Amino acid sequence: MTSSPAPIPGLTARDYKSEVKPVWCPGCGDFSVLSAITKALAELKLPPEKVSVISGIGCSSRMPAYMNSYGFHGVHGRAVALATGLKLSRPDLTVLVTGGDGDGFSIGGNHFLHACRRNVDMTYIVMDNQVYGMTKGQPSPTTEPDWDSALSPGGTGLRPFHPLVIALASGANFIARGFSGDPNGTARLIVDAIRTPGFSFVEVLSPCVTFREDQRGWKKIVRPAPVDPTEDIGRAARRLMTDDGFNLGILYTGKRKPYQLRLDAVEEEPAALETQFVV
Amino acid sequence: MESEALERYLDLAEQMEVHHNPEVAELFRKMARVERKHVEKILERVGDKDLPHIPPWEYQWLGEEAAEAISNEDVHYLMTPHHALTLALGAERRAFGFYTRVVETVEPGELLELARELMEEEREHVALIEAWLAKVPEPADDWAEDPDPPLLQE
Amino acid sequence: MTAKDDETPSLSIALTGSGGAGVITAGNMLLEAAAKAGCYGLFARSSGPQIRGGEAAAMVRLAKEPVAAPGDVFDILIAIDWHNIDRFAVELPLSTESLVIADPSQGELPEVIAASGARIAELPLKDLAKTVAKGRPNMIALGVVAGLIGLPDEVADEVMARALKKRGDEALAASRDAFALGVEAAGTMSFDGPDLWTRAATRERWIINGNEAAGLGAVRGGVRFVAAYPITPATDLLEWMALNLQRLGGALVQAEDELASINMIIGASYGGTPALTATSGPGLALMSESLGLAVASEVPVVVVDVMRGGPSTGIPTKSEQSDLNIALFGLHGDAPHLVLAPTSVSDCVFTTQWAVTLAEALQSPAIVLSDQLLGQTRAIVDRPTDIAFVSQRVTADAGAGEVRRYALAGGGVSPMAIPGAPGAQYTADGLEHDERGLPSSRAGDHVTQLDKRAAKLDGFDYGNHWAEIEGDGRRAVVAWGSSTGAVREALARLGSRGHEFRLVSPRLLAPAQPARWTEALEGVERALVVELNHSAQFYRYLKGYCDPPCPVDVYHRPGPLPLRVGELVAEIEKWSRS
């Protein structure tokens, strides 16, 4: 959580939405995530101009334009790096990163790893629909191995990526899973994520109504995690390694100090650097 | 609950407009206008009183069925008025059920009066929508068919 | 050896050795001592691929006036041993007037050295060193050189004292004694060099390399955030910044790769902090996509490319000017941006500072093409002038009404809101957009924004900084980047023989500016481009994009060897007769 600006009375979720009408397919889980994010920000009473939403490429990466905060719709896979540069140089802002499973775990995989490691104070919300939606339905790193598609007929045969395990192993300080079918519950997770200092990772299962109709069944499978969130990294590791991907809630919350730069008051002017060169 | 439903109907109307389904868009806008009346009525009753702030995840529904609002996930860009009304009906029934439970559990007083009024209004809404639903045609078998495949956008 | 009349009086000295001989340290001390005695000069090094203990050569040139190119031949070569000398023998050209000092215990003189016809003096460096407690051959060698060139006594002592302070009195005494032995030995050799010591220096001088100079220029220009991934030969620029940014309240973050560095600096710049990174060819290639993002979203950033031998992994420790093409054309789409090239070690300060200022004013990425030769050559230079630039980023204040981040007015530069400013929120986007910044695929919007992004660069008045134009003559030589130094000296030599040439050395390579080239080459019958790459990249760019008003030829060859003045004098003379 950043050093809070003065809270604004009376902000509602709608105040965080822009005039731009989303182009997501009706039925897309991302609408609920937008609702959850805006509700969370309203709860926290953050002035919209002090919030920055950074994204990459993909359906869920369209999020910044639909919000009334400062946004940056960057290139594929690099949102977390953009956000890191912004937050490190502007610690006063609340920085959110939004994107999908392809953007975050495929091309963005390396940056994801290092962001968890670096533990800069920001919140990364990944709308996981286990498919590349924007490019018409290819398997993503979280897609099950036998899912048939034109680009990988018969399925990839590859073991899916487990982002929560990777996040834990790499050092993320807050790990949670939400479901778009429960926007209020997801909003709560996002509030907690923003409040928790360090790198907060929230995976939100968000069905793709166009390419993964089978995901309509998710609402019957998801359940609140049967155990309380833990601070014990070993316990969290055991749970996450055997997690079936549908346990909702905060799964790990740690105590790592966030990485910050020492951007103190300026001590010297550039002219002071010159003496080191003088003959 | 009412303002959530209002917001939801407005959002859904917008989605239908963006996806060129004007009939359903207009239907959702009508529903939004109905919800707005409820919101205004309640705010009138509240008057100058400060409402306690309850985070959205802490709402309790006195039963299993939650919010009045239609779920985002239940819509489809080709949905027909019949689908929309069926969803709205479900929502209004849940609202009716909620107010009924309030009426059944609350002590006599201002709250009971308000709850009774709203319960009656929801009863009317349910009847309204049932009538409306009876008048619209049922969806054809191929209602979800779109000859064009999905398009690559980025 | 006396200087020829038309040559800048200078001395070129090389020290070679391997396996921890310490020639680099000795070379550095020589440069520093000479600087204290009022000299100008430069110091470059060459080495094998080993991290330590490899073969190395320290190459020093000293002169009474500033020099920016290596000498044609080495006047003195002192070799502690001959291991792997073949690796850089070609970088150590010798003539019959050169003096080679070799240790007879290190075996026979290598063929390539003997073939030069240089005079040989034998000196048992290793044995001599053993006569001093903890004595090292490199200090003996330094003493020999000092004695031969007449280096004033006090300066060497001062430099040794400062360099060895940390190692304690014993080490200092050992070095002093070894040095003294070397000076004594020099007395037995005959060497006739120019007197470099008679004029007291009047101007404040610095010892600095191009990488440090670029760093200083960057912070003078306002950079306070750097994200970086190490790569030869840019790493020491980044290390300098890591240390010195902190003193100014800024910071450097080490990123996981170049894709992260470029995006981090775009993020920081978007947040309002002027930001920079430094890399070399392979890193710049990785950054291309995101540089395009900076162009499209109009976010200023500066990338210093310290060029090395390419393509691909190439020759990491050697210089070349072969990244021009990717700097100019490496972005997909029509993505105009700034490309600059410092013309000397000293100019790295100015040009980098200018690049930061331009990037901020024009909301565009700027690529600064330095190279290994500039970056890692330590030069004694006059104190670079302080230039206070006025340009700044045009920001949007807290707004009322519709936000139009990419509006057309103002010559193409539209005010940029900084996150935190209320009422001015917008989403920066790599997608094409309308004036409000909303994504658009409309033809009109695309043309409008393309025109805007080109016009803001083309329409800007870069003033006279854009190029260094010197001299007159019906013929001109065009050089860019590190080639400028050697060309300048070659033209000076030709000038003192009565052959006049104009020199045009552009600092601003992109946008192309045909009108300025016409102006710069007015009255010129024919121009010769000189550059260090295999495919004559600048020559083709000049002809294709800058519309030169006269016929242009080119003299070019690839690295790893630097251009030499004598080489250029011969080529330019030959060309001028054609």
Side-chain angles (χ1 to χ4, degrees):
Chain A
M1 178 66 168
T2 58
S3 61
S4 305
I8 312 294
L11 276 176
T12 65
R14 184 148 273 268
D15 294 317
Y16 293 90
K17 290 190 181 165
S18 73
E19 297 297 306
V20 181
K21 301 179 186 176
V23 299
W24 296 318
C25 305
C28 176
D30 294 354
F31 284 104
S32 299
V33 180
L34 172 59
S35 172
I37 293 175
T38 51
K39 281 183 183 177
L41 295 173
E43 269 309 296
L44 293 164
K45 298 194 194 304
L46 295 169
E49 67 269 11
K50 297 290 279 184
V51 177
S52 284
V53 183
I54 316 293
S55 69
I57 301 289
C59 290
S60 45
S61 283
R62 293 253 175 166
M63 186 72 73
Y66 306 146
M67 291 180 60
N68 193 27
S69 41
Y70 278 92
F72 207 139
H73 185 209
V75 296
H76 200 26
R78 320 287 171 207
V80 166
L82 266 182
T84 299
L86 178 63
K87 178 68 186 188
L88 285 176
S89 57
R90 289 291 306 277
D92 59 304
L93 299 172
T94 298
V95 176
L96 307 180
V97 186
T98 57
D101 39 303
D103 185 81
F105 308 140
S106 201
I107 185 172
N110 192 38
H111 303 307
F112 176 55
L113 267 176
H114 290 276
C116 294
R117 236 183 102 223
R118 211 176 267 119
N119 202 35
V120 172
D121 183 26
M122 63 176 70
T123 298
Y124 185 27
I125 300 164
V126 174
M127 283 150 267
D128 192 350
N129 57 10
Q130 297 173 6
V131 77
Y132 280 42
M134 182 65 83
T135 46
K136 276 186 16 170
Q138 294 78 36
S140 88
T142 50
T143 305
E144 57 274 39
D146 53 356
W147 185 73
D148 190 40
S149 69
L151 202 65
S152 296
T156 62
L158 297 177
R159 186 180 177 292
F161 187 83
H162 196 331
L164 281 72
V165 173
I166 302 294
L168 183 73
S170 308
N173 200 42
F174 176 99
I175 299 173
R177 183 188 282 121
F179 174 51
S180 62
D182 176 18
N184 288 336
T186 303
R188 180 186 200 169
L189 292 177
I190 294 172
V191 166
D192 287 336
I194 294 176
R195 281 196 176 129
T196 306
F199 190 78
S200 301
F201 174 56
V202 182
E203 177 195 45
V204 182
L205 298 171
S206 179
C208 175
V209 69
T210 298
F211 294 109
R212 302 279 331 236
E213 282 215 40
D214 54 302
Q215 290 172 351
R216 282 189 190 276
W218 276 358
K219 57 177 174 257
K220 300 204 180 74
I221 314 175
V222 295
R223 77 208 64 99
V227 287
D228 283 339
T230 179
E231 280 177 15
D232 182 315
I233 202 163
R235 184 169 303 143
R238 281 190 297 279
R239 286 179 186 173
L240 288 176
M241 283 302 290
T242 51
D243 174 73
D244 70 349
F246 295 105
N247 286 307
L248 306 181
I250 302 173
L251 303 171
Y252 171 77
T253 180
K255 292 234 175 323
R256 280 186 72 198
K257 278 185 52 172
Y259 176 78
Q260 287 170 307
L261 293 176
R262 249 197 51 229
L263 297 171
D264 298 339
V266 174
E267 293 151 24
E268 296 176 275
E269 292 295 307
L273 303 178
E274 295 175 8
T275 52
Q276 63 187 281
F277 301 117
V278 177
V279 167
Chain B
M1 182 177 80
E2 299 291 343
S3 49
E4 175 99 3
L6 163 62
E7 291 297 325
R8 184 58 46 77
Y9 280 127
L10 288 175
D11 280 348
L12 292 175
E14 221 170 58
Q15 290 181 36
M16 290 300 123
E17 274 154 9
V18 171
H19 288 81
H20 305 293
N21 190 337
E23 243 191 302
V24 176
E26 183 47 41
L27 196 154
F28 283 136
R29 288 214 180 275
K30 274 205 180 88
M31 295 303 308
R33 285 195 282 275
V34 168
E35 296 299 338
R36 190 183 295 281
K37 288 209 181 72
H38 266 195
V39 172
E40 280 164 0
K41 180 198 205 87
I42 295 174
L43 285 179
E44 215 180 76
R45 293 303 185 83
V46 168
D48 288 329
K49 287 199 274 275
D50 261 332
L51 286 176
H53 173 70
I54 308 172
W57 49 86
E58 281 175 21
Y59 298 145
Q60 286 162 338
W61 302 107
L62 306 177
E64 271 201 22
E65 292 257 328
E68 177 176 344
I70 293 178
S71 165
N72 267 321
E73 273 94 59
D74 288 333
V75 297
H76 189 286
Y77 72 106
L78 290 174
M79 68 196 303
T80 64
H82 195 278
H83 290 113
L85 287 169
T86 306
L87 289 174
L89 183 59
E92 297 300 322
R93 282 187 176 143
R94 287 195 297 278
F96 173 69
F98 172 68
Y99 289 128
T100 307
R101 285 194 293 284
V102 173
V103 163
E104 285 164 3
T105 35
V106 120
E107 298 287 316
E110 210 182 329
L111 183 55
L112 182 60
E113 283 313 305
L114 181 58
R116 238 187 222 128
E117 275 180 52
L118 292 169
M119 183 186 80
E120 285 311 317
E121 287 190 22
E122 292 299 350
R123 196 200 299 276
E124 276 172 36
H125 285 170
V126 168
L128 202 80
I129 295 174
E130 280 170 342
W132 197 352
L133 192 55
K135 281 190 264 175
V136 300
E138 285 203 15
D141 281 334
D142 62 350
W143 71 270
E145 239 175 68
D146 183 342
D148 284 344
L151 297 172
L152 257 129
Q153 291 301 340
E154 254 169 56
Chain C
M1 189 203 83
T2 50
K4 303 207 188 73
D5 284 337
D6 57 355
E7 285 173 22
T8 314
S10 75
L11 274 173
S12 290
I13 301 131
L15 302 99
T16 64
S18 68
V23 294
I24 305 298
T25 304
N28 214 19
M29 285 181 168
L30 177 61
L31 185 81
E32 287 183 13
K36 287 199 184 299
C39 248
Y40 289 91
L42 41 81
F43 163 49
R45 53 178 202 242
S46 196
S47 58
Q50 308 88 328
I51 303 238
R52 303 194 80 172
E55 56 280 12
M59 299 171 290
V60 178
R61 186 180 184 203
L62 303 174
K64 284 162 67 145
E65 298 295 333
V67 283
D72 287 340
V73 293
F74 282 88
D75 302 298
I76 299 170
L77 165 60
I78 182 161
I80 295 178
D81 58 62
W82 293 116
H83 295 309
N84 267 345
I85 192 69
D86 289 328
R87 184 189 297 286
F88 31 68
V90 72
E91 292 178 64
L92 304 173
L94 300 163
S95 74
T96 54
E97 284 160 23
S98 309
L99 174 64
V100 173
I101 299 143
D103 188 334
S105 75
Q106 296 305 309
E108 267 194 38
L109 209 62
E111 181 54 48
V112 62
I113 303 290
S116 69
R119 295 180 298 126
I120 315 293
E122 288 193 335
L123 188 67
L125 292 159
K126 292 221 156 112
D127 287 340
L128 261 180
K130 291 198 183 106
T131 69
V132 174
K134 293 191 187 276
R136 307 185 67 100
N138 68 337
M139 289 293 112
I140 309 252
L142 184 62
V144 171
V145 170
L148 288 174
I149 69 177
L151 185 72
D153 294 329
E154 1 32 285
V155 292
D157 203 73
E158 216 184 302
V159 167
M160 272 189 286
R162 200 172 61 162
L164 297 163
K165 196 167 49 178
K166 276 183 246 171
R167 300 245 302 274
D169 291 333
E170 226 187 291
L172 185 52
S175 294
R176 280 194 173 123
D177 292 342
F179 182 83
L181 274 181
V183 173
E184 201 186 309
T188 67
M189 303 172 196
S190 95
F191 180 75
D192 206 2
D195 178 9
L196 302 175
W197 320 111
T198 49
R199 188 177 56 78
T202 47
R203 290 165 286 191
E204 181 185 320
R205 286 161 310 122
W206 287 7
I207 301 186
I208 192 170
N209 68 30
N211 278 345
E212 294 165 326
L216 181 66
V219 300
R220 276 185 179 179
V223 166
R224 293 294 181 271
F225 183 87
V226 172
Y229 191 72
I231 182 171
T232 304
T235 306
D236 38 328
L237 192 166
L238 300 168
E239 288 171 347
W240 186 89
M241 296 214 80
L243 200 57
N244 288 275
L245 268 176
Q246 273 186 5
R247 293 168 62 181
L248 307 176
L252 180 145
V253 176
Q254 185 177 332
E256 57 268 26
D257 57 30
E258 285 89 345
L259 304 162
S261 349
I262 183 68
N263 276 281
M264 285 187 194
I265 64 172
I266 293 173
S269 180
Y270 165 76
T273 308
L276 170 146
T277 189
T279 186
S280 193
L284 183 63
L286 287 174
M287 296 182 189
S288 307
E289 183 199 17
S290 298
L291 282 167
L293 176 66
V295 170
S297 58
E298 301 198 50
V299 175
V301 285
V302 176
V303 177
V304 180
D305 175 9
V306 188
M307 296 185 286
R308 67 197 218 178
S312 187
T313 312
I315 308 178
T317 54
K318 287 306 206 202
S319 202
E320 198 167 71
Q321 293 184 295
S322 50
D323 290 348
L324 180 67
N325 282 349
I326 194 176
L328 293 170
F329 306 120
L331 279 51
H332 67 275
D334 285 315
H337 54 281
L338 298 159
V339 179
L340 296 94
T343 60
S344 68
V345 167
S346 184
D347 192 58
C348 286
V349 181
F350 176 86
T351 298
T352 309
Q353 180 180 354
W354 195 35
V356 173
T357 316
L358 289 176
E360 290 286 311
L362 299 172
Q363 297 173 17
S364 162
I367 300 172
V368 177
L369 293 175
S370 174
D371 60 31
Q372 184 273 332
L373 196 60
L374 295 178
Q376 297 189 322
T377 295
R378 282 196 95 202
I380 304 168
V381 300
D382 287 324
R383 182 188 183 285
T385 334
D386 237 320
I387 313 242
F389 282 115
V390 179
S391 319
Q392 284 179 48
R393 198 186 287 202
V394 178
T395 54
D397 299 319
E402 190 180 58
V403 173
R404 299 176 77 82
R405 163 71 184 98
Y406 300 107
L408 272 193
V413 176
S414 47
M416 181 178 184
I418 305 301
Q425 291 96 292
Y426 74 102
T427 293
D429 212 323
L431 279 173
E432 189 58 282
H433 39 262
D434 62 20
E435 291 187 58
R436 292 166 299 168
L438 299 180
S440 166
S441 57
R442 289 203 166 104
D445 287 329
H446 191 38
V447 170
T448 298
Q449 293 297 318
L450 285 169
D451 284 344
K452 173 188 197 292
R453 295 189 292 251
K456 71 180 180 180
L457 299 181
D458 289 334
F460 188 78
D461 181 6
Y462 298 96
N464 291 328
H465 299 312
W466 86 275
E468 290 177 341
I469 304 172
E470 296 157 11
D472 234 325
R474 309 306 296 273
R475 293 220 171 192
V477 179
V478 177
W480 65 280
S482 59
S483 298
T484 306
V487 167
R488 192 176 265 130
E489 194 174 333
L491 294 185
R493 210 181 276 183
L494 288 164
S496 60
R497 294 180 197 170
H499 303 301
E500 285 297 312
F501 293 89
R502 187 180 307 177
L503 170 64
V504 179
S505 176
R507 282 196 186 90
L508 185 77
L509 304 178
Q513 305 196 103
R516 303 305 302 270
W517 279 100
T518 301
E519 212 182 281
L521 293 172
E522 199 190 311
V524 169
E525 277 172 4
R526 208 167 178 95
L528 177 72
V529 170
V530 173
E531 58 184 325
L532 197 71
N533 57 65
H534 188 255
S535 55
Q537 295 183 14
F538 185 79
Y539 166 70
R540 294 182 200 288
Y541 176 62
L542 183 67
K543 284 184 59 163
Y545 288 79
C546 307
D547 228 359
C550 61
V552 184
D553 305 300
V554 60
Y555 172 67
H556 69 104
R557 62 163 173 80
L561 302 175
L563 295 169
R564 287 199 191 266
V565 178
E567 169 192 0
L568 293 179
V569 165
E571 287 296 331
I572 294 171
E573 258 185 340
K574 188 173 80 182
W575 166 74
S576 72
R577 286 194 296 267
S578 66

